Amino acid sequence: MTARPANAHQARLLRLLRDGGPNSRAQLGDQVDLSRSKLAVEVDRLLETGLVVADGLAASRGGRRSHNIRLAPGLRFLGVDIGATSVDVAVTNAELEILGHLTQPLDVREGPVAVFEQVLAMAAKLRATGVAEGFDGSGVGVPGPVRFPEGVPVAPPIMPGWDGFPVREVLSQELGCPVMVDNDVNLMAMGEQHAGVARSVRDFLCVKIGTGIGCGIVVGGDVHRGTTGSAGDIGHIRVEPDGRPCACGNRGCLEAYFSGSALARDAEAAARDGRSGELAGRLESAGVLS
Ligand SMILES: [Zn+2]
């Protein structure tokens, strides 16, 4: 199925059904700025596309009872989270409940061709379990800045070989469905907004510390990407003139001090030179601090 919403009203109705589950026409009408007749037209058009289906009778609010409508139960989406050292692939229904999930180690520096070969093999493995026949859409997160409209990574510091690679176009052809590509921390921020700690706020920052450091900026409910998609790419802001060397080639970057590996290195130093008995104990039992 490759149907898509034909206008902003339909897109809003789909979002309400995604976030709120099955709903009556009357309840949807309370949440959108549409006359009753216009709402009926848009809902009928969505029913024709097959994106939504009738789903039992709604509770009576006086007068004739209407059918609940919901997103088509057969819709399937593929989520792909490419990290620097691992990749997660998940299948969800239209209400974003996870139906199947795989995680594997991966080295993002092997480049997009090798990485997507692995991602597609993982997607095929999930399909083979019976959770999906095909996909209606896919969202892909990558650990670097992305030119969002085209779905293309832009000079990602920890992803050699990915600069300008048409991720969206290539994956869309392979999967046969629309694909959206974004920076992984922007997607993490959207996840927190959808079902996490940021559900009730419209302005927030979501900071991720891993191999690199990224930041999702949400302003007025929307992700702020900046003109080149790098608004939240805070890892290489210089915090210490002539400071520690960074993997990007510059000195004194935020990441050189606070990335996962920088913190582990500092922790190990504190364990070895006697500044922390607690860390020394952990180093002795685990052999490594991470
Ligand atoms: Zn740097």
Side-chain angles (χ1 to χ4, degrees), residues 235-236 246-250 253:
H236 300 279
C246 175
C248 74
N250 292 327
C253 298

Side-chain angles (χ1 to χ4, degrees), residues 18-148:
R18 177 195 67 191
D19 297 339
N23 232 310
S24 71
R25 288 174 188 243
Q27 283 168 324
L28 287 173
D30 293 344
Q31 299 172 76
V32 293
D33 189 22
L34 279 176
S35 70
R36 220 181 143 119
S37 57
K38 279 209 169 136
L39 173 70
V41 169
E42 299 300 352
V43 169
D44 286 343
R45 284 188 183 150
L46 282 174
L47 285 164
E48 280 166 25
T49 64
L51 289 171
V52 305
V53 296
D55 181 47
L57 285 173
S60 172
R61 304 212 310 183
R64 199 159 56 90
R65 288 171 71 194
S66 68
H67 274 99
N68 265 332
I69 58 169
R70 61 170 295 182
L71 293 169
L75 289 173
R76 291 292 179 270
F77 294 92
L78 184 73
V80 180
D81 179 17
I82 297 169
T85 57
S86 67
V87 58
D88 284 67
V89 176
V91 175
T92 76
N93 61 14
E95 280 135 15
L96 305 185
E97 291 163 328
I98 293 174
L99 307 175
H101 172 223
L102 288 173
T103 182
Q104 286 182 4
L106 159 146
D107 185 349
V108 78
R109 293 169 301 180
E110 283 181 16
V113 173
V115 165
F116 287 122
E117 210 167 277
Q118 186 173 346
V119 165
L120 290 168
M122 291 166 80
K125 215 177 201 179
L126 283 169
R127 267 206 308 260
T129 66
V131 294
E133 284 176 18
F135 300 109
D136 300 283
S138 176
V140 183
V142 298
V146 172
R147 202 158 61 228
F148 183 69

Side-chain angles (χ1 to χ4, degrees), residues 237-244 251-254 257:
I237 290 175
R238 182 171 295 181
V239 293
E240 190 70 47
D242 293 324
R244 285 181 182 171
R251 300 186 79 91
C253 298
L254 188 65
Y257 292 88

